[in-house]
Amino acid sequence: PFYQPIVNLQTGKIERYEALVRMIEPSGAVIAPFFFLGISRKAKLYQAITKAVMKKSFDTFENLKYDIAINIATDDILTPSIREFIVKQLKELDGRCGVLLEIVESDGIDNYAAVADFIREVGTYGAKIAIDDFGTGYSNFEHVLRLDVDCIKIDGGLIKNITSDKNAEIIVETIVTFAKRLSVKTVAEFVHSK
């Protein structure tokens, strides 16, 4: 895992880190997941990668003062062995660091009941839930309304254009207002200027 800091804009301090999966070539070159996660699914290695990133991240952050955020797919939640692994890891972590599980929206959510049940279960172990890449799909608002989430992460595609595209600015303003009215925190990806 690579760890990217998440900064609180009000305090200017790092609140948590997001664990990002990367592959390192023997030459030291860093490979983004775009190039290997699809292949890992076909090769039936995806679950092993998910488990390795989670285990290594929890081991790294269990005695640090920062929380950790980890992406999970809807398939992870619906796959019994992965779900059991996540719950087991949270039990073993026993609150030694805060955990934010970010549900990647690109896969879509068809089984709201199972996802809501997962959210309740991991919540008993202190895990928080975020909807990742908010603003990229038509069903994002439905996810927030139907699931008890703690945070939405506004997609970087909207944020990187916010200073030059009035429509992006309006959409982001709408998302932030929506989140505030529901008492849901927001995180913006791709923040690039004041």
Side-chain angles (χ1 to χ4, degrees), residues 12-61:
K13 295 185 178 178
I14 296 171
E15 282 192 355
R16 81 174 58 90
Y17 284 84
E18 180 177 0
L20 304 169
V21 65
R22 298 292 184 264
M23 192 167 64
I24 311 298
E25 291 282 357
S27 67
V30 178
I31 310 298
F34 171 81
F35 296 103
F36 65 86
L37 276 188
I39 296 167
S40 76
R41 287 180 195 269
K42 290 178 184 172
K44 301 195 183 316
L45 297 172
Y46 178 81
Q47 291 183 13
I49 292 171
T50 298
K51 289 177 178 180
V53 168
M54 187 165 288
K55 177 81 173 104
K56 287 180 181 184
S57 297
F58 286 0
D59 288 349
T60 299
F61 282 83

Side-chain angles (χ1 to χ4, degrees), residues 21-113:
V21 65
R22 298 292 184 264
M23 192 167 64
I24 311 298
E25 291 282 357
S27 67
V30 178
I31 310 298
F34 171 81
F35 296 103
F36 65 86
L37 276 188
I39 296 167
S40 76
R41 287 180 195 269
K42 290 178 184 172
K44 301 195 183 316
L45 297 172
Y46 178 81
Q47 291 183 13
I49 292 171
T50 298
K51 289 177 178 180
V53 168
M54 187 165 288
K55 177 81 173 104
K56 287 180 181 184
S57 297
F58 286 0
D59 288 349
T60 299
F61 282 83
E62 70 178 335
N63 294 312
L64 299 179
K65 63 180 182 175
Y66 300 105
D67 295 347
I68 185 69
I70 299 175
N71 289 332
I72 59 172
T74 306
D75 284 349
D76 296 329
I77 295 169
L78 300 177
T79 302
S81 62
I82 296 293
R83 180 177 172 151
E84 290 167 14
F85 177 82
I86 293 170
V87 170
K88 180 178 182 279
Q89 291 300 303
L90 289 169
K91 281 182 188 176
E92 290 176 5
L93 188 61
D94 195 27
R96 288 190 296 276
C97 81
V99 174
L100 179 69
L101 299 173
E102 299 182 4
I103 300 174
V104 181
E105 198 281 328
S106 58
D107 295 337
I109 298 174
D110 294 324
N111 189 339
Y112 280 100

Side-chain angles (χ1 to χ4, degrees), residues 2 34 43-44 50 59 61-62 70 74 96 121 125 133 135 146 152-153 158 176 181 188:
F2 272 34
F34 171 81
K44 301 195 183 316
T50 298
D59 288 349
F61 282 83
E62 70 178 335
I70 299 175
T74 306
R96 288 190 296 276
E121 184 175 14
Y125 300 104
D133 298 329
R146 292 186 66 179
I152 56 176
K153 290 187 68 183
L158 291 170
V176 171
R181 302 257 336 246

